[in-house]
């Protein structure tokens, strides 16, 4: 056998070795991939997708099944039940009885673990399915058009465009890049950004991590932009090959679930202590030890709320479903619960509080204000100029062509495209701020396509929130720059065009286009322009200034000697419903805070329009924040509600300061640099539509509609989940305490025998308590949920009256049952069955009253039909346990005569009556207290 044959047969990969893309020029790569700069055709992509499969990494989803199962079995309460089963079996063997209880306990424990396992696996599946909904989108060129597609549809040969905040969706070879920086932590673990260049040619042997002209799936674009051709997708990518994706899916337990685990230990210890007291007391009273031991076993079973973990899991899962129906997608389960405790919501302005459908409504050019009319993104409208008082020392009016030059600069210094949908409506692909510029140019009948083909972009500085400007270098392909550009750029065919925040652009301008062409910009004229920008911002408009300069050898120098072309002001109206949402926040004790990169006056105007900012309350600036030390910052964040010109990194400081003040913070973000703040906040909220993939991955919740009102809705749902959890905790523990005292009292009152067998208790805890508890978790809503302050984060599950309720109700429940027990015992009736029946029936009444703090007559009984069904079915099952012989034998019950059954029903009604009177009394005394 020849050596080469041997090598081939041992090769782990039977597929052809791909070319070394990094050693080929962009053109060669395109040729190899049978692709072009116009993108693939529909037919090509369909064929490649069928051959290659979707661009997806096949990974084990979330927590392993084994680990979920282990969680069910390693629970201390479950271990205690198994110990009870063992002792019960020993007692049965000793008495030559069949160990029915022991077997039933083991079966039920097994069944419970299985149910818990199924519930939790399903909850995890649901969570993963929700995440699937947030499928990353990517900008792809197909059939000579750029479009946004799910990254799963990518195939080799596709042309993709990436910018800061995007996650690289597949392996690709760069075709062009502008300041493109990538964080390749997914591959290297290095957080430091790596700069990529399209025009490098590397040795074929260059290691993967040094291939500076290639992009790899799973890495993140942290700055700049670039275009690339996809070379590998799915499991063929470097990431797919080494299968090294950090798997963060699902399976986290919520703070409440953790607290419940803690509670389990407390319950087990108290059970043991109580058992000791009862056994000792009974023994001192002369009770037989074996009987006492049986009582002890029953008590141990009674104290464990067997049904609770399943009910909580189901409630949280229902909560996530309800939230997604209201456009809030939960990525981490603990968020459901934390939402209920949120005290501050920090939000951006653009897109969340406003519609992010910018429209240019006014230009400032020369000494003219030019109003722009039109509807939405429709590029039809008119311009109405009005003369302003010219700045000091300037010629009034406007130079011919200056308006169109300003509009053309807007087109050339933007990447957005205008698209007409089939229904005739217009939409923008790209940043709406830039889309508005293209629309405005359309209104002046400028041919956007012709402009962009004639003035080709040769270099650029992409927009970033930190820099607050974007700059492009364009070259006139026809060789001459026309007037008045020609005047600016007489010595060069290349021109720098820049746009950005007026303060930033004006700082770099030393000339401007006034009434008589390009003249020097003096201090008072600069001041005049700044005042113009302030005036526009004060009416809630977003203002961009435009500058240009002939090409100089160094970009820094060019950026320092700009000619001011003018201003464009855009209207981005508040979203409908946001003002109401802000008011709801206030009512609910939550402070909404706006943190924006926009001008302070724009921020103030929008803040006032939506009721976020009262009167003249201060707006704090990003640069002021920089000066504050931590203590001062903590003091400022405790009162300030609007922050303007804040760069993303300051958001992290604001979150930390709020948290140091004890606030529970929800924070929205969309850019790549928002990720640290999103991670730091208790609830990081990403934007589903405009958010970058990186921000989505750092978040706990994604707003599918980018709307602030959705956060408030999610908070409401979170509060409902929490209220429902409290409701059934109250119900379940109230019943457990009642059972426990009843059982414990029997030997102390001299009754011989155990009131309830472990089997009967398990039946009660899982069936007669379990079903209604599940139905309580489905309560549709609660009066006043958003009119009360948020829950204390990390508060005990027995906080705010629940502990007292459980004890009070448990004691009364037990007292009523004990009276019945003693009466039945004395009168020779089947007292154990009567106790069992009364406890079960009384719990039905308890379930009905636990729905609300209001008396039942004031609650619509049909608003939770599940509860009515649960009560009916459970009562019927309870009757079956008494009157179906096989069940009655198994559960050791005696069929009750009508008289005895009536007594049980009567005592249950007594308990129900007490519960209702207790509510009425409490409501009355609360009102009396409030009146006083
Ligand atoms: P937020 O979304 O945080 O509420 P924002 O979107 O208004 O705020 P940024 O996008 O950081 O904040 O914008 C800050 C400023 O930068 C704007 O006020 C505007 O003057 C300028 N600007 C915004 N977008 C662009 C752009 N595409 N090109 C140039 N300048 C821009």
């Amino acid at each position: 056998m020849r050596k080469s044959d041997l090598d081939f047969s041992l090769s782990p990969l039977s597929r052809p070795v791909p070319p070394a893309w990094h050693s080929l020029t962009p053109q060669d790569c395109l040729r190899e991939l049978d692709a072009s700069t116009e993108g693939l055709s529909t037919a090509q992509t369909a064929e490649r997708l069928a051959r290659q499969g979707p661009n997806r990494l096949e990974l084990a989803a979330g927590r392993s099944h084994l680990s979920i199962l282990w969680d069910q079995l390693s629970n201390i309460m479950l271990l205690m039940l198994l110990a009870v089963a063992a002792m019960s079996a020993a007692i049965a063997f000793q008495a030559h009885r069949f160990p029915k209880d022991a077997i039933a306990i083991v079966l039920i424990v097994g069944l419970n673990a299985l149910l818990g396992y199924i519930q939790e696996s399903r909850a995890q599946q649901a969570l993963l399915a929700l995440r699937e909904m947030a499928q990353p989108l990517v900008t792809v060129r197909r059939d000579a058009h750029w479009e946004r597609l799910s990254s799963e549809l990518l195939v080799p040969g596709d042309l993709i465009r990436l910018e800061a905040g995007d996650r690289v969706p597949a392996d690709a070879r760069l075709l062009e890049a502008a300041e493109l920086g990538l964080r390749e932590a997914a591959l290297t673990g290095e957080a430091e950004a790596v700069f990529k260049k399209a025009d490098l040619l590397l040795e074929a042997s260059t290691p993967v991590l040094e291939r500076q002209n290639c992009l790899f799936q799973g890495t993140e674009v942290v700055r700049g932009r670039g275009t690339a051709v996809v070379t590998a997708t799915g499991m063929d990518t470097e990431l797919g090959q080494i299968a090294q994706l950090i798997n963060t899916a699902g399976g986290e337990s919520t703070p409440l679930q953790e607290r419940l685990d803690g509670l389990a230990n407390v319950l087990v210890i108290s059970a043991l202590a109580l058992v000791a007291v009862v056994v000792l007391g009974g023994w001192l009273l002369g009770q037989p030890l074996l009987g006492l031991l049986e009582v002890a076993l029953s008590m141990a079973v009674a104290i464990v709320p067997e049904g609770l973990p399943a009910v909580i899991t189901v409630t949280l899962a229902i909560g996530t479903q309800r939230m997604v129906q209201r456009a809030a997608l939960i990525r981490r389960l603990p968020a459901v619960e934390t939402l209920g405790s949120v005290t501050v919501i920090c939000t951006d302005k653009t897109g969340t509080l406003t519609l992010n459908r910018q429209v240019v409504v006014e230009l400032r050019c020369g000494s003219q204000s030019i109003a722009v009319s039109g509807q939405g993104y429709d590029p039809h409208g008119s311009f109405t100029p009005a003369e302003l008082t010219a700045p000091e020392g300037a010629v009034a009016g406007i130079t011919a062509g200056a308006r169109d030059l300003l509009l053309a600069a807007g087109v050339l210094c933007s990447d957005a495209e205008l698209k007409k949908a089939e229904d005739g409506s217009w939409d923008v692909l790209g940043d709406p701020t830039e889309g508005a510029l293209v629309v405005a140019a359309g209104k002046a009948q400028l041919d956007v396509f012709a402009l962009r083909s004639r003035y080709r972009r040769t270099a650029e500085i992409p927009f970033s929130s930190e820099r607050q400007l974007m700059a492009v270098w364009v070259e006139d392909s026809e060789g001459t720059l026309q007037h008045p550009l020609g005047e600016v750029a007489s010595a060069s065919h290349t021109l720098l065009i820049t746009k950005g925040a007026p303060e930033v652009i004006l700082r770099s301008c030393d000339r401007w286009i006034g009434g008589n062409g390009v003249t020097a910009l003096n201090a008072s004229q600069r001041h005049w322009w700044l005042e113009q920008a302030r005036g526009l911002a004060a009416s809630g408009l977003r203002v961009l200034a435009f500058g240009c300069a002939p090409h100089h050898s160094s970009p820094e120098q060019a950026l320092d000697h700009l000619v001011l072309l003018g201003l464009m002001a855009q209207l981005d109206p508040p979203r409908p419903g946001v003002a109401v949402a802000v008011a709801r926040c206030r009512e609910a004790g939550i402070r909404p805070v706006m943190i924006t990169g926009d001008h302070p006056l724009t921020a103030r105007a929008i803040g006032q329009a939506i009721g976020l900012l009262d009167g003249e309350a201060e707006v704090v600036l990003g640069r002021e924040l920089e000066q504050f030390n931590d203590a001062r910052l903590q003091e400022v964040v405790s009162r300030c509600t609007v922050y303007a010109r804040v760069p993303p990194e300051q958001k992290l400081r604001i979150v930390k300061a709020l948290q140091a003040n004890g606030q529970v913070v929800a924070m929205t973000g969309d850019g790549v640099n928002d990720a640290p703040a999103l991670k730091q906040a208790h609830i990081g909220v990403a934007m589903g539509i405009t958010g970058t993939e990186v921000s989505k991955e750092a978040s706990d919740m994604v707003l599918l509609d980018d709307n602030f009102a959705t956060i408030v809705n999610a908070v409401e749902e979170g509060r409902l989940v929490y209220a429902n959890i409290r409701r059934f905790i109250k119900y379940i523990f109230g019943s457990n305490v009642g059972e426990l005292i009843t059982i414990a009292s029997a030997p102390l009152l001299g009754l011989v025998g155990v009131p309830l067998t472990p089997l009967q208790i398990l039946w009660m805890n899982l069936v007669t308590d379990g079903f209604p508890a599940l139905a309580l978790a489905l309560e549709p809503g609660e009066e006043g949920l958003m009119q009360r302050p948020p829950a204390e984060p990390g508060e005990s599950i027995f906080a705010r009256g629940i502990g007292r309720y459980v004890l009070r109700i448990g004691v009364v429940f037990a007292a009523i049952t004990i009276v019945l027990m003693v009466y039945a015992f004395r009168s020779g009736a089947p007292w154990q069955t009567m106790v069992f029946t009364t406890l079960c029936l009384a719990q039905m009444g308890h379930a009905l009253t636990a729905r609300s703090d209001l008396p039942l007559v004031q609650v619509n009984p049909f608003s939770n039909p599940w509860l009515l069904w649960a009560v009916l079915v459970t009562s019927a099952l309870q009757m079956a346990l008494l009157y179906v012989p096989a069940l009655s034998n198994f559960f050791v019950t005696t069929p009750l005569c009508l008289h005895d059954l009536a007594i049980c029903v009567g005592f249950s009604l007594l308990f129900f009556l007490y519960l209702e009177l207790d509510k009425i009394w409490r409501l009355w005394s609360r009102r009396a207290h409030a009146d006083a």
Side-chain angles (χ1 to χ4, degrees):
M1 194 188 287
R2 281 178 300 136
K3 176 96 171 50
S4 57
D5 288 346
L6 185 72
D7 277 350
F8 183 69
S9 64
L10 284 178
S11 161
L13 301 170
S14 52
R15 62 197 178 92
V17 181
W21 303 109
H22 50 281
S23 66
L24 301 180
T25 62
Q27 289 70 27
D28 288 342
C29 288
L30 288 172
R31 204 169 313 116
E32 277 283 337
L33 288 159
D34 192 14
S36 80
T37 47
E38 291 307 315
L40 298 176
S41 69
T42 315
Q44 275 178 312
T45 46
E47 184 265 321
R48 289 183 195 197
L49 197 62
R51 179 156 42 92
Q52 203 74 28
N55 175 33
R56 192 190 302 146
L57 288 179
E58 311 295 341
L59 293 162
R63 217 150 50 107
S64 79
H65 291 279
L66 219 63
S67 109
I68 299 181
L69 192 65
W70 174 245
D71 266 9
Q72 312 300 320
L73 296 174
S74 59
N75 178 314
I76 182 165
M77 297 206 271
L78 191 140
L79 295 179
M80 188 174 86
L81 285 181
L82 289 179
V84 168
M87 286 173 71
S88 162
I91 294 173
F93 282 132
Q94 215 219 359
H96 302 292
R97 269 192 283 129
F98 181 64
K100 192 171 54 181
D101 282 56
I103 292 176
I105 294 176
V106 172
L107 277 181
I108 285 181
V109 161
L111 201 70
N112 207 28
L114 189 70
L115 274 180
Y117 167 78
I118 293 174
Q119 293 290 9
E120 218 168 291
S121 312
R122 284 186 46 193
Q124 174 159 319
Q125 284 305 324
L127 212 61
L128 285 171
L130 284 182
R131 286 188 179 189
E132 287 275 301
M133 287 176 62
Q135 266 285 327
L137 293 177
V138 56
T139 310
V140 192
R141 193 159 179 88
R142 296 242 172 119
D143 293 317
H145 280 103
W146 287 108
E147 38 188 321
R148 296 280 288 166
L149 291 178
S150 158
S151 64
E152 285 211 353
L153 299 175
L154 281 187
V155 292
D158 260 328
L159 232 61
I160 52 173
R161 196 156 73 185
L162 296 165
E163 53 191 23
D166 284 341
R167 182 171 285 275
V168 178
D171 285 2
R173 166 69 162 91
L174 267 179
L175 301 181
E176 56 177 42
E179 285 207 350
L180 187 67
L182 275 107
R183 195 187 293 136
E184 300 193 322
L187 290 175
T188 61
E190 284 292 324
E192 207 55 33
V194 185
F195 281 86
K196 298 277 177 172
K197 294 198 175 63
D199 46 10
L200 291 178
L201 279 188
L202 303 169
E203 294 278 315
S205 58
T206 313
V208 174
L209 299 177
E210 288 168 26
R211 295 179 193 164
Q212 258 185 299
N213 52 9
C214 288
L215 305 177
F216 301 103
Q217 182 184 30
T219 57
E220 299 161 4
V221 182
V222 288
R223 47 189 307 190
R225 6 178 267 108
T227 314
V229 59
V230 172
T231 52
T233 58
M235 294 306 281
D236 292 341
T237 61
E238 291 300 328
L239 192 64
Q241 300 242 342
I242 56 177
Q244 193 199 352
L245 189 75
I246 315 127
N247 202 348
T248 52
E252 294 133 304
S253 53
T254 75
L256 187 85
Q257 284 173 320
E258 276 162 22
R259 266 176 273 142
L260 273 178
D261 283 347
L263 180 74
N265 301 335
V266 177
L267 285 182
V268 169
I269 292 168
S270 2
L272 294 179
L274 216 75
V275 163
V277 170
V278 172
V279 171
L280 195 72
W283 181 67
L284 288 177
L285 289 171
Q287 294 269 3
L289 217 54
L290 199 64
L292 283 174
L293 203 61
E294 282 181 320
V295 169
L297 294 186
S298 286
M299 284 174 63
V301 180
I303 206 165
V304 179
E306 287 86 358
L308 196 58
V311 184
I312 292 197
T313 313
V314 172
T315 312
L316 291 171
I318 293 170
T320 59
Q321 294 301 334
R322 278 189 182 153
M323 287 182 192
V324 79
Q325 279 163 15
R326 299 181 79 176
L329 197 144
I330 296 295
R331 296 186 71 251
R332 289 180 54 241
L333 204 53
V336 179
E337 207 186 294
T338 319
L339 270 168
S341 323
V342 164
T343 57
V344 177
I345 303 178
C346 296
T347 166
D348 330 314
K349 174 180 69 66
T350 313
T352 321
L353 296 172
T354 64
L355 284 169
N356 203 15
R357 282 183 73 84
Q358 265 87 356
V359 182
V360 174
V361 289
E362 204 168 331
L363 312 181
R364 287 287 150 91
C365 199
S367 63
Q368 280 190 354
S369 149
I370 307 173
V372 188
S373 73
Q375 276 296 317
Y377 289 144
D378 186 347
H380 298 95
S382 57
F383 295 82
T384 318
E387 203 54 43
L388 303 168
T389 317
E392 215 181 295
V395 174
I398 183 170
T399 305
R403 182 199 74 179
D404 287 357
L405 175 61
L406 174 64
L407 292 169
V411 170
L412 296 175
C413 191
S414 70
D415 294 304
E417 280 173 38
L418 197 59
K419 268 179 78 172
K420 191 172 188 177
E422 275 167 15
D423 63 359
S425 64
W426 293 88
D427 210 355
V428 157
L429 191 70
D431 180 354
T433 301
E434 300 190 347
L437 306 178
V438 179
V439 173
K443 288 177 183 171
Q445 271 121 41
L446 295 189
D447 185 340
V448 173
F449 183 75
L451 265 174
R452 283 183 175 164
S453 356
R454 175 170 172 179
Y455 297 97
R456 293 224 173 257
R457 196 181 287 183
T458 54
E460 71 177 86
I461 300 175
F463 171 74
S464 76
S465 294
E466 291 85 353
R467 236 189 250 127
Q468 297 190 356
L469 65 75
M470 168 176 177
V472 295
W473 280 260
V474 295
E475 199 174 62
D476 184 353
S477 59
E478 290 178 15
T480 44
L481 285 162
Q482 286 178 331
H483 177 79
L485 281 181
E487 196 174 329
V488 177
S490 51
S492 146
H493 294 158
T494 313
L495 192 72
L496 157 74
I497 304 176
T498 176
K499 71 175 193 307
E503 324 79 280
V504 178
I505 299 293
L506 269 159
R507 217 179 291 142
S508 310
C509 290
D510 54 11
R511 286 169 291 162
W512 67 296
I513 304 185
N516 60 343
V518 177
T519 54
L521 182 74
N522 65 29
S524 83
Q525 288 162 351
R526 189 188 307 274
H527 179 73
W528 185 87
W529 278 103
L530 281 173
E531 280 305 307
Q532 296 300 311
R534 284 175 61 86
L536 291 166
S539 42
L541 302 174
R542 154 178 286 216
V543 191
L544 290 180
F546 293 77
C548 71
H551 180 59
H552 285 247
S553 48
S554 92
E556 291 74 29
Q557 204 181 355
L559 271 174
D560 265 354
H561 300 283
L562 297 177
V563 178
L564 178 70
L565 300 176
L567 305 178
M568 286 203 225
Q570 306 185 338
L571 177 70
D572 178 19
R575 280 178 180 274
V578 157
V580 176
V582 166
R584 286 184 74 206
C585 273
R586 291 255 162 78
E587 248 190 346
I590 302 169
R591 195 152 64 88
V593 170
M594 182 206 287
I595 306 177
T596 175
D598 222 332
H599 195 281
L601 291 173
T602 315
R604 174 184 293 282
I606 297 285
Q608 281 170 343
I610 58 172
L612 194 85
L613 198 68
D614 309 321
E616 286 305 299
E618 72 177 323
V619 173
V620 175
L621 290 177
R623 72 177 121 80
E624 291 172 340
L625 290 178
E626 271 166 37
Q627 314 296 322
F628 298 156
N629 62 18
D630 289 350
R632 172 97 172 96
L633 187 66
Q634 258 173 263
E635 189 263 314
V636 169
V637 298
S638 66
R639 56 188 159 80
C640 175
T641 49
V642 176
Y643 302 82
R645 290 286 190 235
V646 176
E649 64 274 8
Q650 289 288 346
K651 287 190 183 176
L652 182 65
R653 280 194 77 208
I654 298 178
V655 177
K656 283 188 174 166
L658 282 164
Q659 287 175 331
N661 285 347
Q663 306 288 347
V664 179
V665 185
M667 160 74 89
T668 71
D670 47 13
V672 58
N673 299 339
D674 290 334
L678 292 180
K679 280 209 177 117
Q680 175 70 32
H682 293 96
I683 306 264
V685 186
M687 302 296 130
I689 304 171
T690 54
T692 55
E693 295 312 322
V694 175
S695 66
K696 285 183 200 165
E697 266 169 44
S699 69
D700 305 291
M701 180 167 103
V702 177
L703 302 180
L704 296 177
D705 58 359
D706 289 9
N707 191 344
F708 174 77
T710 301
I711 310 177
V712 185
N713 291 340
V715 167
E716 184 180 12
E717 290 296 343
R719 287 189 175 192
L720 180 60
V721 165
Y722 196 62
N724 282 347
I725 289 181
R726 279 169 59 86
R727 200 171 274 132
F728 60 66
I729 279 187
K730 180 161 120 158
Y731 168 72
I732 287 178
F733 279 104
S735 147
N736 279 22
V737 170
E739 286 167 21
L740 201 68
I741 301 179
T742 310
I743 301 169
S745 68
L748 303 180
L749 291 171
L751 273 61
V752 183
V754 203
L756 296 161
T757 66
L759 194 57
Q760 290 169 343
I761 297 167
L762 282 178
W763 166 264
M764 286 199 321
N765 287 0
L766 288 170
V767 181
T768 54
D769 283 0
F771 280 167
L774 271 178
L776 282 175
L778 291 167
E779 267 300 307
E782 193 176 79
E783 194 89 352
L785 209 53
M786 292 297 274
Q787 273 104 40
R788 60 175 89 131
E792 280 286 316
E795 70 174 18
S796 145
I797 49 175
F798 294 119
R800 282 183 292 137
I802 297 271
R804 264 173 291 148
Y805 177 93
V806 164
L807 282 181
R808 191 174 71 242
I809 298 303
V811 167
V812 175
F813 194 17
I816 291 174
T817 322
I818 290 169
V819 171
L820 167 107
M821 179 166 75
V822 174
Y823 159 80
F825 183 78
R826 296 252 163 92
S827 61
W831 64 281
Q832 283 139 318
T833 302
M834 286 175 75
V835 167
F836 181 37
T837 309
T838 308
L839 281 173
C840 289
L841 293 182
Q843 269 301 83
M844 297 304 103
H846 190 190
L848 292 173
T849 61
R851 283 190 65 191
S852 166
D853 286 342
L854 296 174
L856 264 196
V857 281
Q858 291 180 26
V859 180
N860 173 7
F862 299 106
S863 62
N864 184 354
W866 299 107
L867 187 64
L868 294 182
W869 280 112
V871 166
L872 276 178
V873 171
T874 315
S875 307
L877 284 175
Q878 184 63 25
M879 290 303 109
L881 244 58
L882 301 187
Y883 299 107
V884 175
L887 290 175
S888 154
N889 275 339
F890 188 74
F891 281 90
V892 201
T893 61
T894 314
L896 296 179
C897 66
L898 204 60
H899 171 265
D900 290 346
L901 185 63
I903 291 180
C904 295
V905 173
F907 271 87
S908 313
L909 282 178
L910 207 62
F911 180 53
F912 176 71
L913 210 64
Y914 162 76
L915 289 169
E916 282 299 296
L917 287 175
D918 179 67
K919 274 202 263 184
I920 294 171
W921 161 252
R922 256 150 230 290
L923 274 180
W924 180 81
S925 59
R926 212 176 301 151
R927 267 188 216 135
H929 200 257
D931 288 346

